[in-house]
């Protein structure tokens, strides 16, 4: 009898230990199970000059990115204003440090890797399947002294003002543990920085704001154009960064 009771207690303790680790949460309204269905994308770090062949198989789940981005820059269109959470970083900024991974959402049923390598002269590009997603990232190789970081950026051209806005949607430091990067795909009131940009307020629904591609679609085509969304990856030696997209209900 004592063995049976001990066995039951052991199972309860194990469940209490295991189950919380399967859930990543930004807020009570954004919980999800890491064991649930998802799209997996592997960012494989390679040394500069690794291979300049084009990689455009849309069914791939991998991208080849710089293992060291210290010599890489992301060119920005000018004239511009670069804004970070209500603070103007600068005017006519020509570049950001790091490597760009552009993301689009064409309305297709499946994810597609449009450009899978950094070394063909063009940025990497991923087309997201329709819907909204919770997103997590983690380093899945030997950790390095300086962890990689990822920033989400929105590009919007103001037709009347004749300039580009670059809005920072957040930063994630990528570690061995899963980090929630969902924020990088949502724009909120502070990030739209209406006092500086004059952009419409996306609100702060569910503590997240508005899905960035929905926000692009909501803007008046007579006033705004040339939308783009990209990640600014700053890598310091990581050979494998894994990204997972979990569909929201």
């Amino acid at each position: 009898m004592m063995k049976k009771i001990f066995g039951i207690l052991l199972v309860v303790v194990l469940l209490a230990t295991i189950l919380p680790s399967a859930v990543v949460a930004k807020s009570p309204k954004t919980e999800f199970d890491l064991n649930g269905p998802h799209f997996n994308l592997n960012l494989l770090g390679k040394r500069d000059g690794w291979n300049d062949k084009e990689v455009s198989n849309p069914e791939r789940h991998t991208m080849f990115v710089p293992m060291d981005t210290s010599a890489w820059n992301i060119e920005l269109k000018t004239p511009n204003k670069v804004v970070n959470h209500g603070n103007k970083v600068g005017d006519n900024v020509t570049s950001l440090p790091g490597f760009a991974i552009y993301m689009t959402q064409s309305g297709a049923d499946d994810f597609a890797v449009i450009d899978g390598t950094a070394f063909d002269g063009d940025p990497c590009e991923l087309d997201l399947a329709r819907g909204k997603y919770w997103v997590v990232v983690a380093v899945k190789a030997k950790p390095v002294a300086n962890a990689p970081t990822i920033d989400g950026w929105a590009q919007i051209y103001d037709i009347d003002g004749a300039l580009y806005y670059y809005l920072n949607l957040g930063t994630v430091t990528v570690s061995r543990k899963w980090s929630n990067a969902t924020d990088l795909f949502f724009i909120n009131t502070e990030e739209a920085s209406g006092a500086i940009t004059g952009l419409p307020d996306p609100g702060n629904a569910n503590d997240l704001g508005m899905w960035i591609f929905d926000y692009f679609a909501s803007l008046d085509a007579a006033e705004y154009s040339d939308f783009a969304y990209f990640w600014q990856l700053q890598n310091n030696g990581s050979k494998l960064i894994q990204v997972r997209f979990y569909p929201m209900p």
Side-chain angles (χ1 to χ4, degrees), residues 32-43 60-61 63 101-105 110-113 125-137 150 178-182 184-186 211-213 229 231 241-248:
F32 56 96
D33 185 355
L34 281 172
N35 297 318
H38 60 274
F39 175 82
N40 188 77
L41 178 68
N42 293 313
L43 305 180
R60 295 180 63 90
H61 286 246
M63 287 181 173
I101 300 174
Y102 280 84
M103 300 190 194
T104 57
Q105 192 167 40
D110 300 313
F111 283 79
V113 175
E125 183 179 344
L126 174 70
D127 187 49
L128 277 62
R130 65 167 58 94
K132 301 179 183 68
Y133 298 88
W134 289 300
V135 184
V136 294
V137 294
I150 297 173
W178 289 109
S179 298
N180 196 334
T182 306
L184 306 189
F185 287 88
F186 283 81
W211 181 248
I212 186 59
F213 299 107
Y229 173 79
W231 275 8
I241 299 171
Q242 194 170 97
V243 187
R244 291 183 179 182
F245 295 82
Y246 294 82
M248 291 184 174

Short mmCIF file of all heavy atoms in Angstrom, two decimals, residues 32-43 60-61 63 101-105 110-113 125-137 150 178-182 184-186 211-213 229 231 241-248:
data_model
loop_
_atom_site.label_atom_id
_atom_site.label_comp_id
_atom_site.label_asym_id
_atom_site.label_seq_id
_atom_site.Cartn_x
_atom_site.Cartn_y
_atom_site.Cartn_z
N PHE A 32 0.40 29.08 -24.56
CA PHE A 32 0.34 28.05 -25.58
C PHE A 32 1.28 26.92 -25.20
O PHE A 32 2.19 27.09 -24.39
CB PHE A 32 0.68 28.60 -26.97
CG PHE A 32 2.03 29.27 -27.05
CD1 PHE A 32 3.14 28.58 -27.49
CD2 PHE A 32 2.17 30.60 -26.68
CE1 PHE A 32 4.38 29.20 -27.56
CE2 PHE A 32 3.40 31.23 -26.75
CZ PHE A 32 4.51 30.52 -27.19
N ASP A 33 1.05 25.77 -25.81
CA ASP A 33 1.78 24.56 -25.48
C ASP A 33 2.93 24.37 -26.47
O ASP A 33 2.70 24.28 -27.68
CB ASP A 33 0.81 23.37 -25.54
CG ASP A 33 1.46 22.07 -25.10
OD1 ASP A 33 2.67 22.06 -24.84
OD2 ASP A 33 0.73 21.06 -25.01
N LEU A 34 4.14 24.30 -25.97
CA LEU A 34 5.30 24.11 -26.84
C LEU A 34 5.27 22.77 -27.57
O LEU A 34 5.97 22.59 -28.56
CB LEU A 34 6.59 24.21 -26.02
CG LEU A 34 7.07 25.62 -25.68
CD1 LEU A 34 8.24 25.56 -24.72
CD2 LEU A 34 7.45 26.39 -26.93
N ASN A 35 4.47 21.84 -27.09
CA ASN A 35 4.37 20.55 -27.75
C ASN A 35 3.28 20.53 -28.82
O ASN A 35 3.07 19.50 -29.47
CB ASN A 35 4.08 19.45 -26.71
CG ASN A 35 5.21 19.30 -25.71
OD1 ASN A 35 6.38 19.32 -26.08
ND2 ASN A 35 4.87 19.17 -24.44
N GLY A 36 2.60 21.65 -29.00
CA GLY A 36 1.52 21.71 -29.98
C GLY A 36 2.02 21.84 -31.40
O GLY A 36 3.22 21.98 -31.66
N PRO A 37 1.11 21.81 -32.39
CA PRO A 37 1.49 21.93 -33.80
C PRO A 37 2.13 23.28 -34.09
O PRO A 37 1.69 24.30 -33.56
CB PRO A 37 0.16 21.76 -34.55
CG PRO A 37 -0.89 22.08 -33.55
CD PRO A 37 -0.35 21.66 -32.22
N HIS A 38 3.16 23.28 -34.93
CA HIS A 38 3.87 24.52 -35.22
C HIS A 38 4.68 24.38 -36.50
O HIS A 38 4.90 23.27 -36.99
CB HIS A 38 4.81 24.88 -34.06
CG HIS A 38 5.85 23.84 -33.78
ND1 HIS A 38 5.63 22.75 -32.97
CD2 HIS A 38 7.14 23.71 -34.23
CE1 HIS A 38 6.71 22.01 -32.91
NE2 HIS A 38 7.64 22.56 -33.67
N PHE A 39 5.13 25.52 -37.03
CA PHE A 39 6.08 25.54 -38.14
C PHE A 39 7.45 25.83 -37.54
O PHE A 39 7.62 26.76 -36.75
CB PHE A 39 5.73 26.62 -39.16
CG PHE A 39 6.76 26.77 -40.26
CD1 PHE A 39 6.75 25.92 -41.35
CD2 PHE A 39 7.74 27.75 -40.19
CE1 PHE A 39 7.70 26.04 -42.36
CE2 PHE A 39 8.69 27.89 -41.20
CZ PHE A 39 8.67 27.02 -42.28
N ASN A 40 8.42 25.03 -37.93
CA ASN A 40 9.78 25.15 -37.40
C ASN A 40 10.72 25.73 -38.45
O ASN A 40 10.74 25.27 -39.59
CB ASN A 40 10.28 23.78 -36.96
CG ASN A 40 11.60 23.86 -36.21
OD1 ASN A 40 11.62 24.22 -35.05
ND2 ASN A 40 12.69 23.53 -36.88
N LEU A 41 11.47 26.75 -38.08
CA LEU A 41 12.46 27.36 -38.97
C LEU A 41 13.82 27.34 -38.28
O LEU A 41 13.96 27.82 -37.16
CB LEU A 41 12.07 28.80 -39.30
CG LEU A 41 13.05 29.57 -40.20
CD1 LEU A 41 13.07 28.99 -41.61
CD2 LEU A 41 12.69 31.06 -40.24
N ASN A 42 14.82 26.78 -38.97
CA ASN A 42 16.18 26.73 -38.43
C ASN A 42 17.05 27.78 -39.12
O ASN A 42 17.15 27.80 -40.35
CB ASN A 42 16.79 25.34 -38.66
CG ASN A 42 16.10 24.27 -37.84
OD1 ASN A 42 15.86 24.45 -36.66
ND2 ASN A 42 15.76 23.16 -38.49
N LEU A 43 17.67 28.64 -38.32
CA LEU A 43 18.62 29.62 -38.83
C LEU A 43 20.02 29.06 -38.58
O LEU A 43 20.48 28.99 -37.44
CB LEU A 43 18.44 30.96 -38.12
CG LEU A 43 17.03 31.57 -38.16
CD1 LEU A 43 17.00 32.90 -37.40
CD2 LEU A 43 16.54 31.75 -39.59
N ARG A 60 11.59 24.42 -47.81
CA ARG A 60 12.67 24.29 -46.84
C ARG A 60 12.21 24.78 -45.46
O ARG A 60 11.32 25.62 -45.35
CB ARG A 60 13.89 25.12 -47.26
CG ARG A 60 14.57 24.66 -48.52
CD ARG A 60 15.75 25.56 -48.82
NE ARG A 60 16.75 25.48 -47.76
CZ ARG A 60 17.75 24.60 -47.76
NH1 ARG A 60 17.88 23.75 -48.75
NH2 ARG A 60 18.63 24.59 -46.78
N HIS A 61 12.87 24.29 -44.45
CA HIS A 61 12.66 24.79 -43.09
C HIS A 61 13.96 25.38 -42.54
O HIS A 61 14.13 25.47 -41.33
CB HIS A 61 12.17 23.65 -42.17
CG HIS A 61 10.75 23.26 -42.40
ND1 HIS A 61 9.76 23.45 -41.47
CD2 HIS A 61 10.14 22.71 -43.48
CE1 HIS A 61 8.60 23.01 -41.94
NE2 HIS A 61 8.82 22.55 -43.16
N MET A 63 17.30 28.39 -43.12
CA MET A 63 17.92 29.55 -43.75
C MET A 63 19.38 29.58 -43.32
O MET A 63 19.70 29.26 -42.16
CB MET A 63 17.25 30.86 -43.31
CG MET A 63 15.88 31.10 -43.89
SD MET A 63 15.22 32.70 -43.31
CE MET A 63 13.73 32.80 -44.30
N ILE A 101 16.21 39.59 -42.06
CA ILE A 101 15.35 38.51 -42.52
C ILE A 101 13.98 39.13 -42.74
O ILE A 101 13.29 39.50 -41.78
CB ILE A 101 15.26 37.37 -41.49
CG1 ILE A 101 16.65 36.78 -41.22
CG2 ILE A 101 14.30 36.28 -41.97
CD1 ILE A 101 16.67 35.76 -40.10
N TYR A 102 13.60 39.27 -44.00
CA TYR A 102 12.31 39.88 -44.33
C TYR A 102 11.20 38.84 -44.24
O TYR A 102 11.40 37.67 -44.57
CB TYR A 102 12.35 40.51 -45.72
CG TYR A 102 13.03 41.85 -45.73
CD1 TYR A 102 14.41 41.95 -45.81
CD2 TYR A 102 12.29 43.03 -45.62
CE1 TYR A 102 15.05 43.18 -45.79
CE2 TYR A 102 12.92 44.27 -45.60
CZ TYR A 102 14.30 44.34 -45.69
OH TYR A 102 14.92 45.56 -45.65
N MET A 103 10.04 39.29 -43.78
CA MET A 103 8.89 38.40 -43.66
C MET A 103 7.67 39.08 -44.28
O MET A 103 7.45 40.28 -44.10
CB MET A 103 8.62 38.04 -42.21
CG MET A 103 9.80 37.32 -41.55
SD MET A 103 9.41 36.62 -39.95
CE MET A 103 11.07 36.28 -39.34
N THR A 104 6.91 38.28 -45.00
CA THR A 104 5.69 38.74 -45.65
C THR A 104 4.55 37.81 -45.26
O THR A 104 4.77 36.77 -44.63
CB THR A 104 5.85 38.74 -47.18
OG1 THR A 104 6.22 37.42 -47.61
CG2 THR A 104 6.94 39.72 -47.62
N GLN A 105 3.34 38.18 -45.64
CA GLN A 105 2.19 37.30 -45.43
C GLN A 105 1.24 37.50 -46.61
O GLN A 105 0.40 38.40 -46.62
CB GLN A 105 1.50 37.59 -44.10
CG GLN A 105 0.48 36.52 -43.71
CD GLN A 105 0.03 36.63 -42.27
OE1 GLN A 105 -0.19 37.73 -41.75
NE2 GLN A 105 -0.12 35.49 -41.60
N ASP A 110 0.39 27.78 -46.66
CA ASP A 110 1.60 27.21 -46.06
C ASP A 110 2.71 28.25 -45.95
O ASP A 110 2.77 29.21 -46.72
CB ASP A 110 2.11 26.04 -46.91
CG ASP A 110 1.09 24.92 -47.02
OD1 ASP A 110 0.52 24.54 -45.99
OD2 ASP A 110 0.87 24.44 -48.15
N PHE A 111 3.60 28.02 -44.99
CA PHE A 111 4.81 28.82 -44.89
C PHE A 111 5.70 28.51 -46.10
O PHE A 111 5.70 27.39 -46.61
CB PHE A 111 5.58 28.47 -43.61
CG PHE A 111 5.00 29.08 -42.36
CD1 PHE A 111 3.88 28.52 -41.76
CD2 PHE A 111 5.57 30.20 -41.79
CE1 PHE A 111 3.34 29.06 -40.60
CE2 PHE A 111 5.04 30.75 -40.62
CZ PHE A 111 3.93 30.18 -40.03
N ALA A 112 6.48 29.51 -46.53
CA ALA A 112 7.38 29.29 -47.66
C ALA A 112 8.66 30.10 -47.47
O ALA A 112 8.60 31.30 -47.20
CB ALA A 112 6.70 29.70 -48.97
N VAL A 113 9.79 29.43 -47.60
CA VAL A 113 11.08 30.10 -47.57
C VAL A 113 11.36 30.63 -48.98
O VAL A 113 11.65 29.86 -49.89
CB VAL A 113 12.20 29.15 -47.11
CG1 VAL A 113 13.56 29.84 -47.22
CG2 VAL A 113 11.95 28.71 -45.67
N GLU A 125 14.21 35.67 -46.85
CA GLU A 125 12.80 36.05 -46.84
C GLU A 125 11.93 34.83 -46.55
O GLU A 125 12.13 33.76 -47.12
CB GLU A 125 12.38 36.66 -48.17
CG GLU A 125 10.93 37.13 -48.18
CD GLU A 125 10.51 37.78 -49.49
OE1 GLU A 125 11.40 38.15 -50.29
OE2 GLU A 125 9.29 37.91 -49.72
N LEU A 126 10.97 35.02 -45.65
CA LEU A 126 10.01 33.99 -45.28
C LEU A 126 8.60 34.54 -45.48
O LEU A 126 8.29 35.63 -45.01
CB LEU A 126 10.19 33.58 -43.81
CG LEU A 126 9.16 32.60 -43.24
CD1 LEU A 126 9.35 31.21 -43.84
CD2 LEU A 126 9.27 32.54 -41.71
N ASP A 127 7.75 33.76 -46.18
CA ASP A 127 6.35 34.13 -46.32
C ASP A 127 5.54 33.31 -45.32
O ASP A 127 5.54 32.07 -45.37
CB ASP A 127 5.85 33.86 -47.74
CG ASP A 127 4.44 34.39 -47.96
OD1 ASP A 127 4.19 35.56 -47.62
OD2 ASP A 127 3.59 33.63 -48.47
N LEU A 128 4.87 34.00 -44.40
CA LEU A 128 4.09 33.32 -43.37
C LEU A 128 2.76 32.83 -43.92
O LEU A 128 2.14 33.51 -44.75
CB LEU A 128 3.82 34.25 -42.19
CG LEU A 128 4.91 34.43 -41.12
CD1 LEU A 128 6.18 35.01 -41.72
CD2 LEU A 128 4.40 35.31 -40.00
N ALA A 129 2.32 31.67 -43.46
CA ALA A 129 0.99 31.20 -43.79
C ALA A 129 -0.04 32.14 -43.17
O ALA A 129 0.25 32.87 -42.22
CB ALA A 129 0.78 29.78 -43.28
N ARG A 130 -1.25 32.13 -43.72
CA ARG A 130 -2.30 33.03 -43.20
C ARG A 130 -2.57 32.75 -41.73
O ARG A 130 -2.38 31.64 -41.24
CB ARG A 130 -3.58 32.88 -44.01
CG ARG A 130 -4.24 31.52 -43.91
CD ARG A 130 -5.66 31.57 -44.47
NE ARG A 130 -5.68 32.02 -45.85
CZ ARG A 130 -5.67 31.22 -46.90
NH1 ARG A 130 -5.63 29.91 -46.72
NH2 ARG A 130 -5.70 31.70 -48.11
N GLY A 131 -3.00 33.78 -41.02
CA GLY A 131 -3.29 33.65 -39.60
C GLY A 131 -2.32 34.46 -38.75
O GLY A 131 -1.47 35.19 -39.26
N LYS A 132 -2.48 34.31 -37.44
CA LYS A 132 -1.59 34.96 -36.48
C LYS A 132 -0.90 33.88 -35.67
O LYS A 132 -1.43 32.78 -35.51
CB LYS A 132 -2.37 35.90 -35.56
CG LYS A 132 -3.13 37.01 -36.28
CD LYS A 132 -3.89 37.86 -35.28
CE LYS A 132 -4.70 38.94 -35.97
NZ LYS A 132 -5.82 38.37 -36.76
N TYR A 133 0.27 34.22 -35.10
CA TYR A 133 1.09 33.19 -34.47
C TYR A 133 1.74 33.68 -33.18
O TYR A 133 2.10 34.85 -33.06
CB TYR A 133 2.20 32.73 -35.44
CG TYR A 133 1.64 32.11 -36.69
CD1 TYR A 133 1.32 32.91 -37.79
CD2 TYR A 133 1.38 30.74 -36.76
CE1 TYR A 133 0.76 32.35 -38.93
CE2 TYR A 133 0.83 30.18 -37.90
CZ TYR A 133 0.52 30.99 -38.98
OH TYR A 133 -0.04 30.43 -40.10
N TRP A 134 1.87 32.74 -32.25
CA TRP A 134 2.81 32.91 -31.16
C TRP A 134 4.16 32.43 -31.67
O TRP A 134 4.24 31.42 -32.39
CB TRP A 134 2.40 32.09 -29.95
CG TRP A 134 1.18 32.60 -29.25
CD1 TRP A 134 1.01 33.83 -28.67
CD2 TRP A 134 -0.06 31.91 -29.05
NE1 TRP A 134 -0.24 33.95 -28.13
CE2 TRP A 134 -0.92 32.78 -28.34
CE3 TRP A 134 -0.52 30.63 -29.39
CZ2 TRP A 134 -2.21 32.42 -27.98
CZ3 TRP A 134 -1.80 30.27 -29.02
CH2 TRP A 134 -2.63 31.16 -28.32
N VAL A 135 5.21 33.11 -31.30
CA VAL A 135 6.53 32.80 -31.85
C VAL A 135 7.53 32.68 -30.70
O VAL A 135 7.55 33.52 -29.79
CB VAL A 135 6.99 33.91 -32.83
CG1 VAL A 135 8.32 33.53 -33.47
CG2 VAL A 135 5.92 34.15 -33.90
N VAL A 136 8.35 31.63 -30.75
CA VAL A 136 9.41 31.46 -29.76
C VAL A 136 10.73 31.21 -30.48
O VAL A 136 10.75 30.70 -31.61
CB VAL A 136 9.11 30.31 -28.78
CG1 VAL A 136 7.89 30.62 -27.92
CG2 VAL A 136 8.92 28.99 -29.51
N VAL A 137 11.83 31.56 -29.82
CA VAL A 137 13.16 31.37 -30.39
C VAL A 137 14.09 30.79 -29.33
O VAL A 137 13.91 31.03 -28.12
CB VAL A 137 13.74 32.70 -30.93
CG1 VAL A 137 12.94 33.22 -32.10
CG2 VAL A 137 13.81 33.75 -29.82
N ILE A 150 17.54 39.60 -31.61
CA ILE A 150 16.66 39.80 -32.76
C ILE A 150 15.73 40.97 -32.45
O ILE A 150 15.09 41.01 -31.40
CB ILE A 150 15.82 38.54 -33.05
CG1 ILE A 150 16.73 37.37 -33.44
CG2 ILE A 150 14.81 38.82 -34.16
CD1 ILE A 150 15.98 36.05 -33.58
N TRP A 178 13.70 28.62 -24.41
CA TRP A 178 12.77 29.25 -25.32
C TRP A 178 12.40 30.65 -24.82
O TRP A 178 12.03 30.82 -23.67
CB TRP A 178 11.50 28.41 -25.47
CG TRP A 178 11.72 27.13 -26.22
CD1 TRP A 178 11.72 25.87 -25.72
CD2 TRP A 178 11.99 27.01 -27.62
NE1 TRP A 178 11.98 24.96 -26.71
CE2 TRP A 178 12.14 25.63 -27.89
CE3 TRP A 178 12.12 27.91 -28.67
CZ2 TRP A 178 12.42 25.14 -29.16
CZ3 TRP A 178 12.40 27.43 -29.94
CH2 TRP A 178 12.54 26.06 -30.17
N SER A 179 12.51 31.62 -25.72
CA SER A 179 12.12 33.00 -25.42
C SER A 179 10.94 33.38 -26.29
O SER A 179 10.89 33.04 -27.48
CB SER A 179 13.28 33.96 -25.68
OG SER A 179 14.39 33.66 -24.85
N ASN A 180 10.00 34.10 -25.71
CA ASN A 180 8.80 34.50 -26.43
C ASN A 180 9.11 35.70 -27.33
O ASN A 180 9.49 36.77 -26.85
CB ASN A 180 7.70 34.86 -25.44
CG ASN A 180 6.33 34.91 -26.09
OD1 ASN A 180 6.20 35.15 -27.28
ND2 ASN A 180 5.30 34.68 -25.29
N ALA A 181 8.96 35.51 -28.64
CA ALA A 181 9.22 36.58 -29.61
C ALA A 181 7.94 37.07 -30.27
O ALA A 181 7.99 37.77 -31.29
CB ALA A 181 10.21 36.09 -30.67
N THR A 182 6.80 36.71 -29.70
CA THR A 182 5.51 37.09 -30.29
C THR A 182 5.38 38.60 -30.42
O THR A 182 4.83 39.12 -31.41
CB THR A 182 4.36 36.54 -29.43
OG1 THR A 182 4.53 35.13 -29.25
CG2 THR A 182 3.01 36.80 -30.07
N LEU A 184 7.33 40.74 -31.33
CA LEU A 184 7.99 41.31 -32.51
C LEU A 184 7.06 41.37 -33.71
O LEU A 184 7.37 42.04 -34.69
CB LEU A 184 9.23 40.49 -32.87
CG LEU A 184 10.29 40.27 -31.78
CD1 LEU A 184 11.54 39.64 -32.37
CD2 LEU A 184 10.63 41.56 -31.06
N PHE A 185 5.93 40.67 -33.65
CA PHE A 185 4.98 40.65 -34.76
C PHE A 185 3.74 41.49 -34.50
O PHE A 185 2.81 41.49 -35.31
CB PHE A 185 4.56 39.20 -35.06
CG PHE A 185 5.63 38.39 -35.73
CD1 PHE A 185 6.57 37.72 -34.97
CD2 PHE A 185 5.72 38.33 -37.11
CE1 PHE A 185 7.57 36.98 -35.58
CE2 PHE A 185 6.71 37.59 -37.73
CZ PHE A 185 7.64 36.91 -36.96
N PHE A 186 3.72 42.20 -33.38
CA PHE A 186 2.58 43.03 -33.04
C PHE A 186 3.04 44.46 -32.79
O PHE A 186 4.10 44.69 -32.22
CB PHE A 186 1.89 42.50 -31.78
CG PHE A 186 1.04 41.28 -32.02
CD1 PHE A 186 1.62 40.02 -32.09
CD2 PHE A 186 -0.34 41.39 -32.17
CE1 PHE A 186 0.85 38.89 -32.32
CE2 PHE A 186 -1.12 40.26 -32.39
CZ PHE A 186 -0.53 39.01 -32.47
N TRP A 211 -1.63 42.69 -34.97
CA TRP A 211 -0.75 41.90 -35.84
C TRP A 211 -0.22 42.82 -36.93
O TRP A 211 -0.97 43.53 -37.58
CB TRP A 211 -1.56 40.75 -36.42
CG TRP A 211 -0.85 39.79 -37.31
CD1 TRP A 211 -1.06 39.64 -38.65
CD2 TRP A 211 0.14 38.81 -36.95
NE1 TRP A 211 -0.26 38.63 -39.16
CE2 TRP A 211 0.49 38.11 -38.13
CE3 TRP A 211 0.77 38.47 -35.75
CZ2 TRP A 211 1.43 37.08 -38.14
CZ3 TRP A 211 1.71 37.45 -35.76
CH2 TRP A 211 2.03 36.77 -36.94
N ILE A 212 1.10 42.84 -37.13
CA ILE A 212 1.71 43.86 -37.97
C ILE A 212 1.18 43.84 -39.40
O ILE A 212 0.98 44.90 -40.02
CB ILE A 212 3.26 43.75 -37.95
CG1 ILE A 212 3.91 44.91 -38.71
CG2 ILE A 212 3.72 42.40 -38.47
CD1 ILE A 212 3.56 46.28 -38.18
N PHE A 213 0.89 42.67 -39.95
CA PHE A 213 0.41 42.62 -41.33
C PHE A 213 -1.04 43.11 -41.43
O PHE A 213 -1.44 43.67 -42.46
CB PHE A 213 0.57 41.21 -41.89
CG PHE A 213 2.01 40.76 -41.92
CD1 PHE A 213 2.48 39.82 -41.01
CD2 PHE A 213 2.91 41.31 -42.82
CE1 PHE A 213 3.81 39.42 -41.01
CE2 PHE A 213 4.24 40.92 -42.83
CZ PHE A 213 4.69 39.98 -41.91
N TYR A 229 8.29 44.33 -43.32
CA TYR A 229 8.56 43.87 -41.96
C TYR A 229 9.81 43.00 -42.02
O TYR A 229 9.94 42.13 -42.90
CB TYR A 229 7.39 43.05 -41.41
CG TYR A 229 7.70 42.41 -40.08
CD1 TYR A 229 7.65 43.15 -38.90
CD2 TYR A 229 8.09 41.08 -40.01
CE1 TYR A 229 7.99 42.57 -37.68
CE2 TYR A 229 8.42 40.49 -38.79
CZ TYR A 229 8.37 41.25 -37.64
OH TYR A 229 8.71 40.67 -36.44
N TRP A 231 13.28 41.20 -39.54
CA TRP A 231 14.05 40.97 -38.32
C TRP A 231 15.47 41.47 -38.52
O TRP A 231 16.07 41.24 -39.58
CB TRP A 231 14.09 39.47 -37.99
CG TRP A 231 12.91 38.98 -37.21
CD1 TRP A 231 11.77 39.67 -36.93
CD2 TRP A 231 12.76 37.68 -36.63
NE1 TRP A 231 10.91 38.89 -36.19
CE2 TRP A 231 11.50 37.66 -36.00
CE3 TRP A 231 13.56 36.54 -36.59
CZ2 TRP A 231 11.02 36.54 -35.33
CZ3 TRP A 231 13.09 35.43 -35.92
CH2 TRP A 231 11.83 35.43 -35.29
N ILE A 241 19.96 28.75 -34.57
CA ILE A 241 18.87 29.40 -33.85
C ILE A 241 17.57 28.83 -34.40
O ILE A 241 17.36 28.81 -35.62
CB ILE A 241 18.89 30.93 -34.05
CG1 ILE A 241 20.19 31.52 -33.52
CG2 ILE A 241 17.68 31.58 -33.38
CD1 ILE A 241 20.40 32.99 -33.87
N GLN A 242 16.73 28.34 -33.52
CA GLN A 242 15.47 27.74 -33.95
C GLN A 242 14.32 28.69 -33.66
O GLN A 242 14.26 29.31 -32.59
CB GLN A 242 15.25 26.40 -33.25
CG GLN A 242 14.15 25.56 -33.88
CD GLN A 242 14.12 24.15 -33.30
OE1 GLN A 242 13.35 23.86 -32.40
NE2 GLN A 242 15.00 23.28 -33.81
N VAL A 243 13.42 28.80 -34.63
CA VAL A 243 12.24 29.66 -34.52
C VAL A 243 11.01 28.78 -34.72
O VAL A 243 10.95 27.98 -35.65
CB VAL A 243 12.24 30.77 -35.59
CG1 VAL A 243 11.09 31.75 -35.35
CG2 VAL A 243 13.58 31.51 -35.61
N ARG A 244 10.02 28.93 -33.83
CA ARG A 244 8.78 28.17 -33.96
C ARG A 244 7.59 29.11 -34.02
O ARG A 244 7.50 30.07 -33.25
CB ARG A 244 8.61 27.21 -32.78
CG ARG A 244 9.59 26.05 -32.76
CD ARG A 244 9.26 25.12 -31.59
NE ARG A 244 10.15 23.97 -31.53
CZ ARG A 244 10.05 22.99 -30.63
NH1 ARG A 244 9.08 23.04 -29.72
NH2 ARG A 244 10.89 21.98 -30.64
N PHE A 245 6.66 28.80 -34.93
CA PHE A 245 5.43 29.57 -35.10
C PHE A 245 4.24 28.68 -34.71
O PHE A 245 4.01 27.65 -35.35
CB PHE A 245 5.27 30.02 -36.55
CG PHE A 245 6.32 30.98 -37.03
CD1 PHE A 245 7.56 30.52 -37.46
CD2 PHE A 245 6.07 32.35 -37.06
CE1 PHE A 245 8.53 31.40 -37.92
CE2 PHE A 245 7.04 33.24 -37.51
CZ PHE A 245 8.27 32.77 -37.94
N TYR A 246 3.51 29.08 -33.68
CA TYR A 246 2.34 28.34 -33.21
C TYR A 246 1.07 29.10 -33.57
O TYR A 246 0.93 30.28 -33.20
CB TYR A 246 2.40 28.16 -31.69
CG TYR A 246 3.53 27.29 -31.21
CD1 TYR A 246 4.81 27.82 -31.04
CD2 TYR A 246 3.33 25.95 -30.91
CE1 TYR A 246 5.86 27.03 -30.59
CE2 TYR A 246 4.38 25.15 -30.46
CZ TYR A 246 5.64 25.70 -30.31
OH TYR A 246 6.68 24.91 -29.87
N PRO A 247 0.14 28.49 -34.30
CA PRO A 247 -1.06 29.22 -34.71
C PRO A 247 -1.92 29.64 -33.53
O PRO A 247 -2.14 28.87 -32.59
CB PRO A 247 -1.80 28.21 -35.60
CG PRO A 247 -1.27 26.87 -35.21
CD PRO A 247 0.15 27.09 -34.78
N MET A 248 -2.38 30.88 -33.58
CA MET A 248 -3.33 31.36 -32.58
C MET A 248 -4.73 30.89 -32.96
O MET A 248 -5.04 30.78 -34.15
CB MET A 248 -3.31 32.89 -32.50
CG MET A 248 -2.03 33.46 -31.92
SD MET A 248 -2.13 35.27 -31.75
CE MET A 248 -0.60 35.60 -30.88
#
